[in-house]
Amino acid sequence: SQQGEEDPQALSIQEGENATMNCSYKTSINNLQWYRQNSGRGLVHLILIRSNEREKHSGRLRVTLDTSKKSSSLLITASRAADTASYFCATDAWYGNKLVFGAGTILRVKS
Amino acid sequence: DTGVSQNPRHKITKRGQNVTFRCDPISEHNRLYWYRQTLGQGPEFLTYFQNEAQLEKSRLLSDRFSAERPKGSFSTLEIQRTEQGDSAMYLCASSLVPLAGVTNEKLFFGSGTQLSVL
């Protein structure tokens, strides 16, 4: 079963705009991670935020985590056509030994 | 660091045939995971190894599925008597987890094996 649920399912924006994706999950976690997947390829790790962190930055990426609401958001600033991909959140539940992925958000950046 | 390698990239088979996929993880990584992904969905966990020991299997992994990781290096995933519902992308990932740790740090994924069962 998939613990994380991303919102929206699909997002289409113009190059240069910001893109925000949200993830909700169900159980207590050790950390939450975001991955990107280009069509037909494997997933690439983007950023990890631990349960005791509230915000993290990496380049054009900003991730927030609200453990009280069991939700996270990924912000991509100044988007580029190369950012076109599917984005998945994955949770590392405190009781588990594996990452559980959501269904993903498909991002399309138009140039 | 040559990354995670999966072979073959694509496999087309007829229903009822057996197929085997191979995954070569990053050499120093002690954990290896298999996930399955269907179109429009996120990866679903199948099984994972800590070194050579298979520590967890999903209920998705029926008796027709078997995975091995001899000597804690490469891994194989075999599907016997394939069914059309087995058609999916099979993803392998590896990570380095401290022996005393229980949290999962970032996973490194291979490009996957796309299986089509006709």
Side-chain angles (χ1 to χ4, degrees):
Chain A
S1 63
Q2 296 183 312
Q3 162 157 244
E5 292 185 4
E6 283 92 338
D7 167 55
Q9 289 185 326
L11 181 60
S12 183
I13 59 174
Q14 292 290 339
E15 202 165 29
E17 294 180 338
N18 295 342
T20 299
M21 288 159 267
N22 303 297
C23 169
S24 60
Y25 57 92
K26 298 173 184 173
T27 64
S28 296
I29 59 172
N30 294 312
N31 66 61
L32 184 145
Q33 304 178 31
W34 286 90
Y35 288 79
R36 184 188 72 214
Q37 184 179 36
N38 290 91
S39 180
R41 308 295 294 180
L43 284 77
V44 175
H45 180 269
L46 295 176
I47 195 165
L48 179 154
I49 186 165
R50 302 189 189 282
S51 60
N52 60 353
E53 297 175 313
R54 290 297 166 258
E55 187 171 313
K56 204 161 183 180
H57 297 255
S58 176
R60 295 184 295 112
L61 304 180
R62 173 180 168 248
V63 170
T64 61
L65 178 65
D66 186 336
T67 52
S68 67
K69 294 181 180 178
K70 291 186 170 57
S71 68
S72 173
S73 67
L74 171 67
L75 169 67
I76 303 174
T77 60
S79 63
R80 306 165 181 168
D83 295 329
T84 294
S86 294
Y87 291 81
F88 297 91
C89 69
T91 51
D92 177 34
W94 67 269
Y95 58 83
N97 289 303
K98 59 188 180 287
L99 290 185
V100 178
F101 287 82
T105 292
I106 299 171
L107 173 65
R108 181 185 171 207
V109 181
K110 296 176 283 186
S111 56
Chain B
D1 180 356
T2 57
V4 178
S5 177
Q6 289 190 248
N7 288 289
R9 286 281 287 124
H10 303 275
K11 180 69 177 179
I12 300 174
T13 191
K14 292 182 179 179
R15 189 177 53 184
Q17 298 294 306
N18 299 344
V19 294
T20 299
F21 311 139
R22 177 179 171 124
C23 172
D24 287 273
I26 293 172
S27 58
E28 64 269 26
H29 284 183
N30 53 1
R31 278 205 183 169
L32 186 148
Y33 300 82
W34 285 99
Y35 283 84
R36 181 173 69 187
Q37 185 179 27
T38 53
L39 197 62
Q41 297 297 313
E44 292 181 298
F45 170 78
L46 292 178
T47 187
Y48 90 94
F49 294 83
Q50 177 90 14
N51 300 311
E52 67 275 9
Q54 188 175 18
L55 297 186
E56 187 174 344
K57 293 194 295 185
S58 164
R59 284 171 290 179
L60 293 174
L61 218 63
S62 75
D63 291 344
R64 298 183 297 105
F65 288 71
S66 63
E68 294 182 341
R69 192 183 183 198
K71 302 178 182 177
S73 56
F74 71 92
S75 176
T76 57
L77 178 67
E78 180 183 17
I79 309 174
Q80 296 182 326
R81 305 180 303 281
T82 53
E83 302 172 355
Q84 288 184 326
D86 297 331
S87 295
M89 172 80 86
Y90 289 83
L91 294 163
C92 175
S94 69
S95 69
L96 181 62
V97 177
L99 291 178
V102 295
T103 63
N104 285 283
E105 302 301 307
K106 71 178 186 179
L107 301 187
F108 294 79
F109 280 85
S111 295
T113 294
Q114 182 66 53
L115 173 66
S116 297
V117 182
L118 305 178

